[in-house]
């Protein structure tokens, strides 16, 4: 993401999805990684309308952490989330990362499993929502 305006649009999508829909406290939804220089923010638009967002950041050696994946309700189920994930993975691969890690909300497990993410460890609660850590090898492109 290149502009402050685009970042504000992304934050607005996150507020709608996480704070308003899922009742995550705004104080938990925003964090220090939103302003970290190594965080890559993404804004997905369709016909110039913002409909989705996510971010990733370096996590461990050759591993990125994908976070705050959010698609507006009216745009869900149309493949936009998958396109956003694949674009982020491709960009991370170009930067030399070979793994992607994320903490999936339990209701989104099937979405991430379809993208070949595998569960790691035990489920845990964050912001009142059950999550599962998942990881994927992104060292090569797979459809």
């Amino acid at each position: 993401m290149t502009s402050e305006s685009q970042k504000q649009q992304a934050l607005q999508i996150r507020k709608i999805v996480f704070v308003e829909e899922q009742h995550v406290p705004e104080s938990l939804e925003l964090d220090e990684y939103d302003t970290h220089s190594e965080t890559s923010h993404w804004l997905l638009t369709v016909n110039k309308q913002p409909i989705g967002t996510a971010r990733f950041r370096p996590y461990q050696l050759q591993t990125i952490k994908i976070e705050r994946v959010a698609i507006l309700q009216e745009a869900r189920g149309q493949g936009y989330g998958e396109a956003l994930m694949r674009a982020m993975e491709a960009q991370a691969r170009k930067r030399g990362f070979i793994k992607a890690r994320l903490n999936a909300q339990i209701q989104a497990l099937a979405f991430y499993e379809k993208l070949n993410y595998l569960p790691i460890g035990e489920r845990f609660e964050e912001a009142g929502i059950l999550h599962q850590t998942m990881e994927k090898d992104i060292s090569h492109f797979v459809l």
Side-chain angles (χ1 to χ4, degrees), residues 81-98:
E82 182 177 337
L84 178 61
M85 291 294 294
R86 292 195 187 282
M88 287 192 301
E89 292 167 1
Q91 182 63 38
R93 194 169 35 256
K94 286 181 186 177
R95 294 184 190 180
F97 293 97
I98 61 171

Side-chain angles (χ1 to χ4, degrees), residues 9-143:
Q9 290 174 318
L11 292 175
Q12 181 60 31
I13 291 170
R14 286 171 41 187
K15 182 177 181 180
I16 291 167
V17 173
F18 298 123
V19 177
E20 295 174 12
E21 286 180 23
Q22 298 179 354
H23 308 290
V24 172
E26 196 163 0
S27 62
L28 295 178
E29 203 290 307
L30 299 172
D31 65 18
E32 69 272 17
Y33 298 112
D34 286 319
T35 57
H36 197 278
S37 63
E38 292 187 340
T39 301
S40 178
H41 293 271
W42 291 68
L43 179 68
L44 178 63
T45 62
V46 173
N47 298 322
K48 299 183 181 180
Q49 294 299 310
I51 62 156
T53 188
R55 70 181 191 197
F56 73 75
R57 60 183 172 87
Y59 179 67
Q60 295 172 335
L61 184 63
Q62 297 183 304
T63 302
I64 62 161
K65 181 103 182 259
I66 296 174
E67 301 169 311
R68 307 304 199 266
V69 178
I71 303 294
L72 292 176
Q73 190 171 25
E74 60 270 18
R76 292 180 199 150
Q78 299 176 50
Y80 297 126
E82 182 177 337
L84 178 61
M85 291 294 294
R86 292 195 187 282
M88 287 192 301
E89 292 167 1
Q91 182 63 38
R93 194 169 35 256
K94 286 181 186 177
R95 294 184 190 180
F97 293 97
I98 61 171
K99 285 187 181 178
R101 180 177 278 222
L102 52 82
N103 292 332
Q105 294 182 0
I106 293 305
Q107 71 265 18
L109 280 182
F111 169 76
Y112 292 112
E113 288 170 344
K114 179 181 170 189
L115 294 171
N116 299 314
Y117 281 82
L118 301 173
I120 297 173
E122 299 296 318
R123 293 179 178 181
F124 62 95
E125 188 177 307
E126 185 173 57
I129 301 170
L130 199 56
H131 286 72
Q132 172 69 57
T133 300
M134 302 184 87
E135 198 169 80
K136 177 181 179 177
D137 177 349
I138 60 168
S139 62
H140 55 281
F141 180 76
V142 177
L143 289 177

